[in-house]
Amino acid sequence: TLPTRRLIQAIKTRAGPDNTVTIEATETATALLGDAIAANMFMLGMAYQFGGLPVSAEAVEKAIELNGQAVPMNVSAFRWGRRAAHDPDYVRRLVATSSNGDVRQPMSQTLDDVIARRAAFLADYQNKAYAERYSARIARLRAAEEETTPGSTAVTEAAARNLFKLMAIKDEYEVARLYTDGTFKRQLSAEFESYDRLEFHLAPPVLGRRDAAGHPRKSSFGPWMMPAFRILARLRGLRGTVFDVFGRTEERRMERRLLADYEGDLERIEAMLSPERMNAATALASVPALIRGYGHIKEASAEKAAQERARLIRRLEDGGEEDPVLKAAE
């Protein structure tokens, strides 16, 4: 897992904030050109426009032509990268507007944006109290980081993203909500002029279907699932209560343990935070990023994350040593 936030912080420390530019290149390139692979050439265009390449733009575009692979897209990506460096606000506004005129949520640019967007999502995901629980936890950590290391936000940024990840698991209620909040309908309208029927492939734990290896098997469900989804989405208030039938599975119990452990880790970080422990604290706050997938895949990655968590807790308690990632980046 690439420690993106720590790398960016290392670059800012070495080059200075005024000489560091970041952008959501994959999201931007995909929105502008329809393919995430264009992100590399998009970033090359930005680097050129900022004076980071010792060759001319004409030479770069000629090299793209000689390479012969997706020439129009790569040339466009290079030019869009230049435009993003020259007029970033224009490009962000363009990306924020979808092709059918609907306005998307603006990309998170500041820590306040990151926190506010996730709190708003959690209010829809569960309720206002759930969102306030998230915001309050991050606010306490942010205050502690500012007090111990003025100007630093690395730990808070890691916590803001990873606490959200553990609080917003894609369980049965959330799948139902995402299918019925209007987004799925707009996607269908954008992709297809018409269609005969909808068919959903799901692996509800209540069915308990397993393959030979003991992994959940998906079943096919017809268009009648949409009304069922609407009902289930309205029942999300049952999540985590004694009436939550989905919450009794081993995976859901594991997810609740992970969240409880992580909130405990944030308490530990807040209490022990110091300039010498910043790297260890940021790494510990980033552990949930190691947990990926669903079912048995998620379980396996959670076990590996638990090992890394134990190591980082010891490192934090020992006072924190020099981070090799930061050392390499410098």
Side-chain angles (χ1 to χ4, degrees):
T1 301
L2 187 66
T4 307
R5 294 292 156 185
R6 281 185 284 161
L7 288 173
I8 291 175
Q9 186 61 43
I11 294 169
K12 286 182 179 179
T13 300
R14 187 68 173 180
D18 294 338
N19 296 320
T20 305
V21 179
T22 61
I23 192 170
E24 296 284 354
T26 300
E27 181 177 347
T28 303
T30 301
L32 294 172
L33 299 153
D35 196 330
I37 201 171
N40 290 337
M41 199 58 65
F42 176 84
M43 289 190 291
L44 188 68
M46 287 194 70
Y48 171 82
Q49 196 67 23
F50 281 117
L53 298 183
V55 295
S56 67
E58 292 77 11
V60 173
E61 293 189 9
K62 184 64 176 178
I64 293 172
E65 180 183 341
L66 291 173
N67 188 51
Q69 299 295 318
V71 174
M73 183 187 73
N74 282 318
V75 170
S76 294
F78 178 72
R79 292 176 179 176
W80 272 115
R82 294 184 62 188
R83 181 64 181 267
H86 174 70
D87 191 355
D89 291 338
Y90 170 79
V91 173
R92 289 191 184 108
R93 286 195 303 270
L94 191 63
V95 170
T97 304
S98 64
S99 58
N100 63 5
D102 291 338
V103 178
R104 298 176 181 174
Q105 286 276 15
M107 292 180 287
S108 298
Q109 297 297 322
T110 67
L111 178 56
D112 287 333
D113 291 336
V114 169
I115 297 170
R117 288 187 65 186
R118 283 158 177 76
F121 185 98
L122 290 172
D124 291 335
Y125 176 88
Q126 183 75 0
N127 52 40
K128 184 178 179 181
Y130 197 62
E132 290 175 348
R133 169 183 164 187
Y134 167 83
S135 298
R137 174 64 270 177
I138 297 302
R140 291 196 299 272
L141 183 61
R142 189 176 190 178
E145 183 172 12
E146 178 62 27
E147 181 179 354
T148 57
T149 312
S152 173
T153 61
V155 178
T156 305
E157 286 188 38
R161 296 176 187 279
N162 288 281
L163 177 59
F164 170 79
K165 176 178 179 176
L166 295 180
M167 292 182 73
I169 59 169
K170 191 176 284 188
D171 59 9
E172 292 76 14
Y173 303 105
E174 179 64 356
V175 169
R177 186 184 74 85
L178 293 175
Y179 269 123
T180 57
D181 69 353
T183 304
F184 179 61
K185 184 177 180 179
R186 288 193 295 270
Q187 289 176 336
L188 287 177
S189 299
E191 294 290 336
F192 306 102
E193 292 183 2
S194 64
Y195 48 87
D196 293 329
R197 69 192 300 269
L198 294 173
E199 187 171 299
F200 302 90
H201 296 267
L202 309 167
V206 293
L207 293 184
R209 296 188 63 197
R210 302 278 173 173
D211 60 18
H215 303 150
R217 289 183 58 187
K218 289 189 176 183
S219 301
S220 177
F221 300 86
W224 61 269
M225 278 301 298
M226 285 303 291
F229 281 148
R230 293 188 185 96
I231 295 172
L232 188 56
R234 289 195 292 268
L235 294 176
R236 63 185 180 276
L238 299 178
R239 180 189 282 124
T241 71
V242 295
F243 302 105
D244 181 6
V245 295
F246 302 109
R248 299 169 188 173
T249 65
E250 180 55 38
E251 183 170 353
R252 297 291 171 258
R253 289 198 293 266
M254 177 189 72
E255 289 163 344
R256 290 195 295 271
R257 288 196 301 270
L258 289 171
L259 175 57
D261 288 345
Y262 187 69
E263 289 183 304
D265 289 343
L266 295 184
E267 294 282 355
R268 180 184 287 107
I269 290 171
E270 181 183 337
M272 303 180 67
L273 199 58
S274 66
E276 297 76 18
R277 291 185 170 97
M278 287 296 296
N279 295 330
T282 304
L284 179 58
S286 302
V287 164
L290 302 174
I291 304 171
R292 300 182 178 181
Y294 298 92
H296 64 285
I297 296 175
K298 186 171 190 175
E299 184 179 354
S301 65
E303 290 178 0
K304 293 181 180 179
Q307 297 173 10
E308 180 68 1
R309 172 179 176 255
R311 185 185 71 82
L312 290 169
I313 289 175
R314 290 194 299 270
R315 175 179 163 187
L316 184 72
E317 292 174 344
D318 289 342
E321 71 275 14
E322 184 180 18
D323 192 324
V325 174
L326 287 177
K327 183 177 181 181
E330 293 181 0

